[in-house]
Amino acid sequence: MEQTPLIQMQGLRFAYGPVSVLADLGLTLGHGERIAIMGRSGAGKSTLLHILALLQSFNEGRFLFDGEAVDTLERGRKEEVRARHIGMVFQAHYLIPYLTVEENVVLACELAGVPADPNQVTHLLACVGLTERGKHRPTQLSGGEQQRAGLVRALAKQPLLLLADEPTGNLDVETGGRVLDLMLDPAIYAGAVIAVTHQPEVANRFDRVLALRDGRLQYQTWEQPR
Ligand SMILES: Nc1ncnc2c1ncn2[C@@H]1O[C@H](COP(=O)(O)OP(=O)(O)OP(=O)(O)O)[C@@H](O)[C@H]1O
């Protein structure tokens, strides 16, 4: 039997008042599939990520998350689905300032109802170069380090979907490469990834690259080196 896609969006419309942002948008994403979304500034990429994270509602259309119709979910159920199944690495990282990095990771696992595995947490921190930083509070870390801590927190609960907004945006090439390796290595994380990026060399590491243009997702049309 064919598995239900993780994400099914059809005819999705969203506007901020008179400003139409998403118009007749469609997206089907399988479990474990990794896609990059590109598009000019203001195209609606962050808005789409917020809708995918169940943080923002939409005006019209169909959005099924792992077979469940999102627009009919009660608020509590949305929060439950987000806590358990969706990891987010957004520019505002929302790490809790009075908890250490490790405590932030453990708390996210607890909220997801998944026991945190200390060995896995140590391994993930090492993968992003934060071995020495687990006992530090977010305010003691640089912006890029906080972003990497956010990625560890998102991955430790092994979500079905990881949403990343410019995951390598303010990182140097080497650290950015390490972050991508972590997100895209199926031995570390086997779930689906949707990443927004402005960098073609980052986008090319994903299974598919889509462009958000005129409110819709379209195949990006440059030749992709494989
Ligand atoms: N709260 C809001 N109220 C009104 N308009 C908004 C609001 N937030 C965003 N917009 C508008 O919606 C459009 C899409 O914004 P969004 O942040 O999703 O774009 P983006 O593709 O992520 O841009 P960038 O690459 O610059 O981050 C823009 O025209 C923006 O001005």
Side-chain angles (χ1 to χ4, degrees), residues 16 19 21 39-48 91 165 198 212:
Y16 291 104
V19 183
V21 179
R40 64 169 178 76
S41 176
K45 304 177 298 296
S46 300
T47 303
L48 177 60
Q91 273 143 17
D165 197 357
H198 286 289
L212 183 53

Side-chain angles (χ1 to χ4, degrees), residues 185-204:
D185 180 352
I188 296 172
Y189 171 62
V193 181
I194 300 179
V196 162
T197 180
H198 286 289
Q199 297 167 280
E201 66 278 15
V202 170
N204 280 334

Side-chain angles (χ1 to χ4, degrees), residues 63-96:
F63 172 16
L64 305 184
F65 184 91
D66 203 18
E68 276 192 274
V70 167
D71 56 338
T72 60
L73 292 185
E74 283 174 13
R75 199 164 144 193
R77 175 67 188 144
K78 271 190 196 166
E79 281 166 12
E80 204 175 284
V81 170
R82 189 183 319 118
R84 175 61 197 96
H85 296 304
I86 303 176
M88 289 177 280
V89 188
F90 288 177
Q91 273 143 17
H93 47 74
Y94 308 114
L95 290 165
I96 296 171

Side-chain angles (χ1 to χ4, degrees), residues 34 119 139 143 174:
R34 283 98 197 273
N119 291 331
T139 48
E174 192 193 327

